[in-house]
Amino acid sequence: YYIDTPTREVVAYDYDNATGAITNRRTAIRIPEQMGHPDGMCIDSQDCVWIALWDGARAARWDPKTGRLLDTVEVEGVKQTSACALGGRNLDELYITTSTQGFTAEHHRDQPNAGFLFRCKVDVPGVVSRDVLAVLCELDGVAVIGARVHPRDVALNDHARLEVEPLEASQCLRI
């Protein structure tokens, strides 16, 4: 997938594992203007995508085969959601990064949770095809990462339970 933020489109391609060739460009998802701009994304075990929506104060789950919106997680006290990743022991935690890029003192007052990393439980877990080391956020100009994850058995459910909570900086690993 390729996210074209200015046009609010997510483009899909066919990928050949043997050659690395990408072909068959097509628009998979069009983000409505009122939802913000698509930014970072991740893929779950049902081949759906979670997309952070810049200026949208949320991450949203989409079916890229139909372009249909399936679920949303709203993040309170922040507009600029920037990326998301599925992690945790069972890959059933959605991590959502937020940004303070371009902020003034007024922005900080209006969006007190900007710059924090948020986490919520989801019922459709992520998928691991290889060992993965994912960059989750940036704190004070330093990359913050999640743990190396390995394939494991996971249970699949149809509905997400979305309880969003901020993570403290002390819970993150700096590199």
mmCIF file of all heavy atoms in Angstrom, residues 7 13 17 32-33 39 46 61 63 85 125-127 129 131 137 147 163 167-168:
data_model
loop_
_atom_site.group_PDB
_atom_site.id
_atom_site.type_symbol
_atom_site.label_atom_id
_atom_site.label_comp_id
_atom_site.label_asym_id
_atom_site.label_seq_id
_atom_site.Cartn_x
_atom_site.Cartn_y
_atom_site.Cartn_z
ATOM 1 N N THR A 7 -3.718 13.741 -1.420
ATOM 2 C CA THR A 7 -4.933 13.411 -2.189
ATOM 3 C C THR A 7 -5.946 12.627 -1.365
ATOM 4 O O THR A 7 -7.032 12.322 -1.856
ATOM 5 C CB THR A 7 -4.578 12.589 -3.445
ATOM 6 O OG1 THR A 7 -4.063 11.316 -3.038
ATOM 7 C CG2 THR A 7 -3.585 13.319 -4.328
ATOM 8 N N TYR A 13 -1.195 -2.085 -4.557
ATOM 9 C CA TYR A 13 -0.453 -2.695 -5.661
ATOM 10 C C TYR A 13 -0.408 -4.201 -5.426
ATOM 11 O O TYR A 13 -0.474 -4.669 -4.293
ATOM 12 C CB TYR A 13 0.991 -2.187 -5.694
ATOM 13 C CG TYR A 13 1.153 -0.730 -6.003
ATOM 14 C CD1 TYR A 13 1.176 0.211 -4.982
ATOM 15 C CD2 TYR A 13 1.307 -0.291 -7.315
ATOM 16 C CE1 TYR A 13 1.341 1.557 -5.261
ATOM 17 C CE2 TYR A 13 1.474 1.061 -7.601
ATOM 18 C CZ TYR A 13 1.491 1.976 -6.565
ATOM 19 O OH TYR A 13 1.651 3.301 -6.846
ATOM 20 N N ASN A 17 6.645 -11.466 -4.534
ATOM 21 C CA ASN A 17 7.671 -11.762 -3.531
ATOM 22 C C ASN A 17 8.982 -12.195 -4.155
ATOM 23 O O ASN A 17 10.054 -11.914 -3.619
ATOM 24 C CB ASN A 17 7.190 -12.851 -2.567
ATOM 25 C CG ASN A 17 6.211 -12.323 -1.547
ATOM 26 O OD1 ASN A 17 6.318 -11.189 -1.092
ATOM 27 N ND2 ASN A 17 5.237 -13.139 -1.196
ATOM 28 N N PRO A 32 -12.632 10.529 3.373
ATOM 29 C CA PRO A 32 -13.453 11.743 3.283
ATOM 30 C C PRO A 32 -12.739 12.945 3.915
ATOM 31 O O PRO A 32 -12.029 12.797 4.916
ATOM 32 C CB PRO A 32 -14.709 11.386 4.079
ATOM 33 C CG PRO A 32 -14.752 9.894 4.104
ATOM 34 C CD PRO A 32 -13.309 9.454 4.092
ATOM 35 N N GLU A 33 -12.924 14.105 3.333
ATOM 36 C CA GLU A 33 -12.230 15.317 3.785
ATOM 37 C C GLU A 33 -12.433 15.578 5.269
ATOM 38 O O GLU A 33 -11.498 15.964 5.968
ATOM 39 C CB GLU A 33 -12.704 16.516 2.963
ATOM 40 C CG GLU A 33 -11.939 17.776 3.256
ATOM 41 C CD GLU A 33 -12.299 18.915 2.318
ATOM 42 O OE1 GLU A 33 -12.863 18.665 1.249
ATOM 43 O OE2 GLU A 33 -12.011 20.063 2.683
ATOM 44 N N ASP A 39 -2.222 9.076 7.166
ATOM 45 C CA ASP A 39 -0.786 9.166 7.458
ATOM 46 C C ASP A 39 -0.248 7.752 7.618
ATOM 47 O O ASP A 39 -0.331 6.973 6.685
ATOM 48 C CB ASP A 39 -0.561 10.051 8.679
ATOM 49 C CG ASP A 39 0.814 10.708 8.700
ATOM 50 O OD1 ASP A 39 1.576 10.547 7.742
ATOM 51 O OD2 ASP A 39 1.126 11.391 9.684
ATOM 52 N N GLN A 46 -6.841 -9.849 9.331
ATOM 53 C CA GLN A 46 -7.920 -10.000 8.361
ATOM 54 C C GLN A 46 -7.640 -9.185 7.096
ATOM 55 O O GLN A 46 -8.531 -8.946 6.298
ATOM 56 C CB GLN A 46 -9.262 -9.587 8.984
ATOM 57 C CG GLN A 46 -9.703 -10.526 10.082
ATOM 58 C CD GLN A 46 -11.043 -10.156 10.685
ATOM 59 O OE1 GLN A 46 -11.579 -9.071 10.489
ATOM 60 N NE2 GLN A 46 -11.591 -11.070 11.464
ATOM 61 N N ARG A 61 -10.088 1.877 10.874
ATOM 62 C CA ARG A 61 -9.863 0.564 10.255
ATOM 63 C C ARG A 61 -10.709 0.476 8.984
ATOM 64 O O ARG A 61 -11.905 0.744 9.012
ATOM 65 C CB ARG A 61 -10.241 -0.547 11.225
ATOM 66 C CG ARG A 61 -9.964 -1.944 10.703
ATOM 67 C CD ARG A 61 -10.234 -2.994 11.791
ATOM 68 N NE ARG A 61 -9.913 -4.318 11.323
ATOM 69 C CZ ARG A 61 -10.823 -5.239 11.037
ATOM 70 N NH1 ARG A 61 -12.123 -4.997 11.196
ATOM 71 N NH2 ARG A 61 -10.435 -6.430 10.600
ATOM 72 N N ASP A 63 -11.457 -1.709 5.111
ATOM 73 C CA ASP A 63 -11.302 -2.893 4.273
ATOM 74 C C ASP A 63 -10.769 -2.408 2.929
ATOM 75 O O ASP A 63 -11.492 -1.750 2.171
ATOM 76 C CB ASP A 63 -12.645 -3.594 4.083
ATOM 77 C CG ASP A 63 -12.541 -4.853 3.242
ATOM 78 O OD1 ASP A 63 -11.568 -4.993 2.467
ATOM 79 O OD2 ASP A 63 -13.448 -5.691 3.354
ATOM 80 N N ALA A 85 0.460 1.089 14.943
ATOM 81 C CA ALA A 85 1.094 -0.225 14.847
ATOM 82 C C ALA A 85 0.359 -1.173 15.779
ATOM 83 O O ALA A 85 -0.117 -0.762 16.837
ATOM 84 C CB ALA A 85 2.565 -0.139 15.247
ATOM 85 N N PRO A 125 -6.275 -9.103 15.803
ATOM 86 C CA PRO A 125 -4.861 -8.829 16.036
ATOM 87 C C PRO A 125 -4.093 -8.541 14.751
ATOM 88 O O PRO A 125 -4.609 -8.725 13.643
ATOM 89 C CB PRO A 125 -4.360 -10.127 16.675
ATOM 90 C CG PRO A 125 -5.253 -11.178 16.102
ATOM 91 C CD PRO A 125 -6.599 -10.522 15.946
ATOM 92 N N GLY A 126 -2.866 -8.118 14.952
ATOM 93 C CA GLY A 126 -1.959 -7.935 13.834
ATOM 94 C C GLY A 126 -1.426 -9.270 13.371
ATOM 95 O O GLY A 126 -1.798 -10.329 13.878
ATOM 96 N N VAL A 127 -0.560 -9.228 12.398
ATOM 97 C CA VAL A 127 0.024 -10.440 11.840
ATOM 98 C C VAL A 127 1.528 -10.227 11.710
ATOM 99 O O VAL A 127 1.989 -9.121 11.447
ATOM 100 C CB VAL A 127 -0.615 -10.786 10.479
ATOM 101 C CG1 VAL A 127 -0.354 -9.713 9.451
ATOM 102 C CG2 VAL A 127 -0.147 -12.133 9.984
ATOM 103 N N SER A 129 4.848 -11.751 9.720
ATOM 104 C CA SER A 129 5.355 -12.652 8.691
ATOM 105 C C SER A 129 6.848 -12.893 8.869
ATOM 106 O O SER A 129 7.383 -13.854 8.375
ATOM 107 C CB SER A 129 5.074 -12.095 7.301
ATOM 108 O OG SER A 129 5.647 -10.822 7.158
ATOM 109 N N ASP A 131 10.342 -11.549 11.798
ATOM 110 C CA ASP A 131 10.657 -10.740 12.976
ATOM 111 C C ASP A 131 10.517 -9.291 12.575
ATOM 112 O O ASP A 131 10.974 -8.894 11.512
ATOM 113 C CB ASP A 131 12.080 -10.983 13.452
ATOM 114 C CG ASP A 131 12.249 -12.328 14.129
ATOM 115 O OD1 ASP A 131 11.254 -13.042 14.305
ATOM 116 O OD2 ASP A 131 13.378 -12.638 14.488
ATOM 117 N N CYS A 137 7.071 5.845 17.837
ATOM 118 C CA CYS A 137 6.886 7.274 18.059
ATOM 119 C C CYS A 137 8.234 7.953 18.232
ATOM 120 O O CYS A 137 9.272 7.316 18.189
ATOM 121 C CB CYS A 137 6.005 7.533 19.286
ATOM 122 S SG CYS A 137 6.731 7.003 20.842
ATOM 123 N N ALA A 147 8.811 -3.803 20.991
ATOM 124 C CA ALA A 147 9.658 -4.983 21.139
ATOM 125 C C ALA A 147 9.694 -5.789 19.843
ATOM 126 O O ALA A 147 8.789 -5.709 19.027
ATOM 127 C CB ALA A 147 9.106 -5.855 22.261
ATOM 128 N N GLU A 163 -10.700 0.965 24.031
ATOM 129 C CA GLU A 163 -10.487 1.756 25.226
ATOM 130 C C GLU A 163 -9.100 2.370 25.103
ATOM 131 O O GLU A 163 -8.099 1.677 25.225
ATOM 132 C CB GLU A 163 -10.581 0.880 26.477
ATOM 133 C CG GLU A 163 -11.944 0.224 26.620
ATOM 134 C CD GLU A 163 -11.972 -0.816 27.726
ATOM 135 O OE1 GLU A 163 -10.912 -1.348 28.107
ATOM 136 O OE2 GLU A 163 -13.072 -1.093 28.184
ATOM 137 N N LEU A 167 0.191 6.291 27.050
ATOM 138 C CA LEU A 167 1.319 5.622 27.682
ATOM 139 C C LEU A 167 2.271 6.677 28.225
ATOM 140 O O LEU A 167 2.452 7.719 27.612
ATOM 141 C CB LEU A 167 2.081 4.776 26.674
ATOM 142 C CG LEU A 167 1.379 3.554 26.115
ATOM 143 C CD1 LEU A 167 2.274 2.854 25.109
ATOM 144 C CD2 LEU A 167 0.994 2.593 27.215
ATOM 145 N N GLU A 168 2.863 6.411 29.346
ATOM 146 C CA GLU A 168 3.863 7.310 29.904
ATOM 147 C C GLU A 168 5.177 7.110 29.175
ATOM 148 O O GLU A 168 5.488 6.017 28.721
ATOM 149 C CB GLU A 168 4.056 7.016 31.398
ATOM 150 C CG GLU A 168 2.809 7.242 32.231
ATOM 151 C CD GLU A 168 2.364 8.688 32.228
ATOM 152 O OE1 GLU A 168 3.232 9.579 32.263
ATOM 153 O OE2 GLU A 168 1.148 8.915 32.191
#
